[in-house]
Amino acid sequence: MSHEADDTVAILRNQLAAATRILESRDILNYSGHISTRIPGSEDILIQRRNDSRSTLMPDRIVRVSKDGVPLDNQGKPPSELIIHLEILKARPDVNCVLHCHMPSAVRFTLMRDTPLLPLLCHATRWRSGIPVHPTPAHIESKAQGEELARTLGPHNAALMRAHGLVMVAESVPGIVVDAIHFQENAEAQMEVMRAGRQADPLTEQEIGELIKHERRGHHLEKLFGHFLAKARESGVVPADWRLGEPVEPA
């Protein structure tokens, strides 16, 4: 492996550890859940070890795994639901990063009949095509289960898992951080509307179209990931000396 490739993997390890700590600090990840990312120019992925705390995850505890789920270094065992990441990345060559978590505010929408999670806030345009619900709460450990979940997700950017959690995809680790925080904000906003006894008023197709027309996702991710990262460094959630590279290329 070249020095440049080594450096890319090192930065991705730092990004994954930082992203995991940031999402844990915001109650999106907790004692479980995980983020994976493709390694550019390779079929391998990076993902955290099975039993390490999400709040103190270190870059050197990230496992490199083959497309067949075989650990390629001596960093320990990958998560028991690794197959979620492998099958979604296999089915979705358009994305590079997968999040599986158990976000309480989103899971609640799988526990109510006829109450879908709707795109309410302006940044919810990512879920314009819908947020499908995987019908089983089962732990996803077999290839067949992973394939079924990938089919539920389909072309969408997120899918809920009944009484279990959710999966989300993005083009990068910074993208998954920003999207997960927006997803949580949107779910909490809808729940607050319902608590007030009112009916949610989702974005219309016309409104979504106008928002997307003026969207600058590269700039948005750079700005917001930088913001969340700065706050995490200031609070000590993420060490200040971790090299994370440029979060995204501005659009």
Side-chain angles (χ1 to χ4, degrees), residues 110-132:
T110 74
L111 309 178
M112 300 180 283
R113 294 180 179 176
D114 303 318
T115 311
L117 181 54
L118 302 168
L120 299 183
L121 302 179
C122 61
H123 296 312
T125 57
R126 283 286 288 172
W127 305 290
R128 176 184 192 172
S129 62
I131 305 169

Side-chain angles (χ1 to χ4, degrees), residues 129-159:
S129 62
I131 305 169
V133 179
H134 194 58
T136 172
H139 202 66
I140 308 297
E141 293 186 315
S142 72
K143 180 175 175 60
Q145 288 176 307
E147 289 172 342
E148 289 171 3
L149 179 56
R151 282 194 291 271
T152 295
L153 176 65
H156 309 290
N157 290 321

